[in-house]
Amino acid sequence: MAYKFATKAIHAGQEADPTTGAVMTPIYQTSTYKQVSPGDHKGFEYSRGTNPTRKALEDCLAALENGKFGLAFASGMAATDTVLRLLKPGDEVITGDDLYGGSYRIFTKVYAQYGIKFVFVNTSDVGQVEDAVTERTRLIWVETPTNPTLKLADIEAIGKVARKSNLLYVVDNTFASPYLQNPLDLGADIVMHSATKYLNGHSDVVMGALILNNEELYKQLWFYYNACGGTPGPQDAFLVLRGLKTLHVRMRAHCENGRKVAEFLKDHPKVEKIYWPGFSDHPDHEVAQRQMRDFGGMVSIVLRDADLHETFRIASDFKVFTLAESLGGVESLINHPATMTHGSIPKEAREKVGVVDNLLRLSVGIEDAEDLLEDLRLVLGDK
Ligand SMILES: *Cc1c(COP(=O)(O)O)cnc(C)c1O
């Protein structure tokens, strides 16, 4: 039956445990499974390849992204790594110039050395993606909204480019979460997630995921998932499965608080520039309205007249916002991309896309909005 989002978040992939009736999926803390005679088993042989707790999570993730198959990984980077293993020397990848730092690092420092070429374009401009396609292009990798400057790519329009040239099309949906956008419905072949962020939502697990519809592609990816072994353990799978049950409630609160924080910071005398796709003057606002259900809880600002020292002072002064890497948890975090999440990107490359020394990224949590605004007021001053 086609259930709606919240019902799927709470129930998909999960049934009461057949042996005990336990309503919540047990943590199957086992590496191996008894076989009646060799090859005669219940579908589980060895937990690197299959585990019942992980399977419940993967089925739930697949349902939330409107996909048929889900694969969970020990981190978002392990999920990315598994997709890149589909490539061969000489293949080309078109990707964004404003990527998560770890994605940039695995592309340029790991896979480039195996003869794979990465072409970086502004994915907000479909024309640039189309122009970059050559006969060697094999994959398009898009992140939207981007991190940290919250640019959007038109998922559907890029999907048409991918289909025309028969390219594999991956969307990193970490920032939006499946509550806000579903790339498979808009033409993506694979959705990638860092489940560490909104999916788990409580900043206590590192995990990644891939979700897709094509069975042949699923089998190829499952081969590398099992052969290379970047799969998560059952305890972490349980925690993410538990986190998913409130994804819709959390996302609504993140969006509501994100809007209040963005509105407070807009036109604030200490803020030179603000990035939040909900503003009608955001260059990609129209795309955001079309492909997202709301605008999310991520807000980035460039501080006015602040050098690195002053930026560090401000970033360290908050009481409710915690200075830390990562995002998407219930608690509000503040991050200095240039030295933290994006430290692995050369200065010139990051400044070209706006990751300047006085940029701060806020992951707005679900605390009381008034307390968040008061925290901002105390550090940045009144409007
Ligand atoms: C965090 C993140 C990743 C990497 O995921 P890990 O779980 O940290 O390995 C990839 N993409 C985006 C957009 C992220 O924010």
Side-chain angles (χ1 to χ4, degrees), residues 65-69 184-185 188-189 211-215 218:
E65 283 288 11
N66 301 330
K68 287 203 181 83
F69 306 102
L184 296 180
D185 294 345
D189 296 308
I211 299 117
L212 66 159
N213 273 311
N214 181 299
E215 187 165 8
Y218 169 71

Side-chain angles (χ1 to χ4, degrees), residues 75-77 100 143 172 174-175 192 194 196-197 206-207 327:
S75 67
M77 292 321 302
Y100 171 70
E143 200 180 302
D172 179 339
T174 300
F175 263 46
M192 177 266 164
S194 168
T196 313
K197 318 294 168 53
V206 172
M207 196 185 286
L327 61 114

Side-chain angles (χ1 to χ4, degrees), residues 72-93:
F73 294 87
S75 67
M77 292 321 302
T80 299
D81 180 58
T82 300
V83 174
L84 296 174
R85 285 177 193 275
L86 299 171
L87 301 171
K88 305 258 177 318
D91 286 348
E92 291 182 10
V93 177

Side-chain angles (χ1 to χ4, degrees), residues 159-195:
K160 287 184 184 143
V161 174
R163 213 155 320 118
K164 199 170 102 190
S165 303
N166 206 15
L167 309 174
L168 198 59
Y169 179 28
V170 186
V171 175
D172 179 339
N173 203 24
T174 300
F175 263 46
S177 91
Y179 179 76
L180 294 181
Q181 91 193 353
N182 299 116
L184 296 180
D185 294 345
L186 300 171
D189 296 308
I190 303 174
V191 169
M192 177 266 164
H193 275 285
S194 168

Side-chain angles (χ1 to χ4, degrees), residues 12-179:
Q14 298 153 76
E15 280 173 38
D17 181 52
T19 45
T20 63
V23 171
M24 289 303 142
T25 305
I27 302 167
Y28 285 93
Q29 193 75 52
T30 184
S31 60
T32 190
Y33 306 82
K34 180 180 172 174
Q35 307 196 4
V36 180
S37 66
D40 180 2
H41 53 72
K42 296 176 169 23
F44 299 96
E45 296 167 81
Y46 185 62
S47 282
R48 182 182 348 97
T50 42
N51 173 278
T53 316
R54 197 165 76 224
K55 176 79 167 68
L57 170 66
E58 291 172 336
D59 289 350
C60 189
L61 288 169
L64 292 179
E65 283 288 11
N66 301 330
K68 287 203 181 83
F69 306 102
L71 290 166
F73 294 87
S75 67
M77 292 321 302
T80 299
D81 180 58
T82 300
V83 174
L84 296 174
R85 285 177 193 275
L86 299 171
L87 301 171
K88 305 258 177 318
D91 286 348
E92 291 182 10
V93 177
I94 300 170
T95 187
D97 57 11
D98 186 20
L99 287 175
Y100 171 70
S103 305
Y104 182 85
R105 181 174 56 198
I106 197 173
F107 292 168
T108 58
K109 297 270 166 62
V110 181
Y111 279 88
Q113 68 180 339
Y114 299 125
I116 293 158
K117 189 176 161 197
F118 294 86
V119 181
F120 299 93
V121 301
N122 176 1
T123 47
S124 299
D125 178 354
V126 189
Q128 286 197 23
V129 177
E130 192 155 24
D131 289 348
V133 176
T134 73
E135 58 190 22
R136 307 203 128 201
T137 309
R138 182 79 208 291
L139 178 91
I140 300 179
W141 184 286
V142 164
E143 200 180 302
T144 181
T146 62
N147 176 13
T149 57
L150 305 169
K151 286 194 301 191
L152 270 76
D154 184 331
I155 299 175
E156 195 165 20
I158 295 176
K160 287 184 184 143
V161 174
R163 213 155 320 118
K164 199 170 102 190
S165 303
N166 206 15
L167 309 174
L168 198 59
Y169 179 28
V170 186
V171 175
D172 179 339
N173 203 24
T174 300
F175 263 46
S177 91
Y179 179 76

Side-chain angles (χ1 to χ4, degrees), residues 71-364:
L71 290 166
F73 294 87
S75 67
M77 292 321 302
T80 299
D81 180 58
T82 300
V83 174
L84 296 174
R85 285 177 193 275
L86 299 171
L87 301 171
K88 305 258 177 318
D91 286 348
E92 291 182 10
V93 177
I94 300 170
T95 187
D97 57 11
D98 186 20
L99 287 175
Y100 171 70
S103 305
Y104 182 85
R105 181 174 56 198
I106 197 173
F107 292 168
T108 58
K109 297 270 166 62
V110 181
Y111 279 88
Q113 68 180 339
Y114 299 125
I116 293 158
K117 189 176 161 197
F118 294 86
V119 181
F120 299 93
V121 301
N122 176 1
T123 47
S124 299
D125 178 354
V126 189
Q128 286 197 23
V129 177
E130 192 155 24
D131 289 348
V133 176
T134 73
E135 58 190 22
R136 307 203 128 201
T137 309
R138 182 79 208 291
L139 178 91
I140 300 179
W141 184 286
V142 164
E143 200 180 302
T144 181
T146 62
N147 176 13
T149 57
L150 305 169
K151 286 194 301 191
L152 270 76
D154 184 331
I155 299 175
E156 195 165 20
I158 295 176
K160 287 184 184 143
V161 174
R163 213 155 320 118
K164 199 170 102 190
S165 303
N166 206 15
L167 309 174
L168 198 59
Y169 179 28
V170 186
V171 175
D172 179 339
N173 203 24
T174 300
F175 263 46
S177 91
Y179 179 76
L180 294 181
Q181 91 193 353
N182 299 116
L184 296 180
D185 294 345
L186 300 171
D189 296 308
I190 303 174
V191 169
M192 177 266 164
H193 275 285
S194 168
T196 313
K197 318 294 168 53
Y198 287 109
L199 293 180
N200 178 56
H202 295 75
S203 304
D204 49 13
V205 172
V206 172
M207 196 185 286
L210 300 175
I211 299 117
L212 66 159
N213 273 311
N214 181 299
E215 187 165 8
E216 196 46 47
L217 187 56
Y218 169 71
K219 284 180 181 159
Q220 287 173 28
L221 290 167
W222 192 87
F223 171 81
Y224 291 111
Y225 159 102
N226 181 53
C228 304
T231 52
Q235 172 85 31
D236 284 355
F238 171 85
L239 285 169
V240 177
L241 194 59
R242 173 180 160 131
L244 287 181
K245 291 179 193 295
T246 55
L247 180 61
H248 52 293
V249 185
R250 288 186 283 109
M251 288 314 296
R252 280 182 212 132
H254 282 296
C255 291
E256 198 181 311
N257 281 358
R259 173 183 300 277
K260 287 179 181 159
V261 164
E263 279 167 359
F264 173 79
L265 292 170
K266 194 175 170 76
D267 307 322
H268 189 286
K270 273 301 264 181
V271 176
E272 182 183 307
K273 198 165 184 181
I274 181 159
Y275 300 100
W276 183 65
F279 289 129
S280 58
D281 59 357
H282 182 287
D284 305 319
H285 179 64
E286 188 267 325
V287 180
Q289 276 185 311
R290 190 150 31 90
Q291 72 188 17
M292 297 174 75
R293 289 182 195 99
D294 203 338
F295 305 110
M298 299 302 297
V299 181
S300 294
I301 52 171
V302 176
L303 295 170
R304 189 183 300 282
D305 299 329
D307 58 11
L308 193 62
H309 181 76
E310 170 73 351
T311 305
F312 275 17
R313 187 195 64 76
I314 288 174
S316 320
D317 246 13
F318 294 98
K319 301 283 182 294
V320 183
F321 282 88
T322 302
L323 178 64
E325 302 211 358
S326 202
L327 61 114
V330 289
E331 72 294 332
S332 291
L333 299 179
I334 190 160
N335 171 275
H336 182 249
T339 54
M340 295 167 70
T341 45
H342 291 62
S344 54
I345 302 179
K347 188 175 165 78
E348 201 176 297
R350 66 175 163 77
E351 290 199 335
K352 222 175 85 189
V353 294
V355 185
V356 289
D357 283 347
N358 48 341
L359 177 85
L360 292 175
R361 187 192 76 187
L362 310 179
S363 171
V364 181

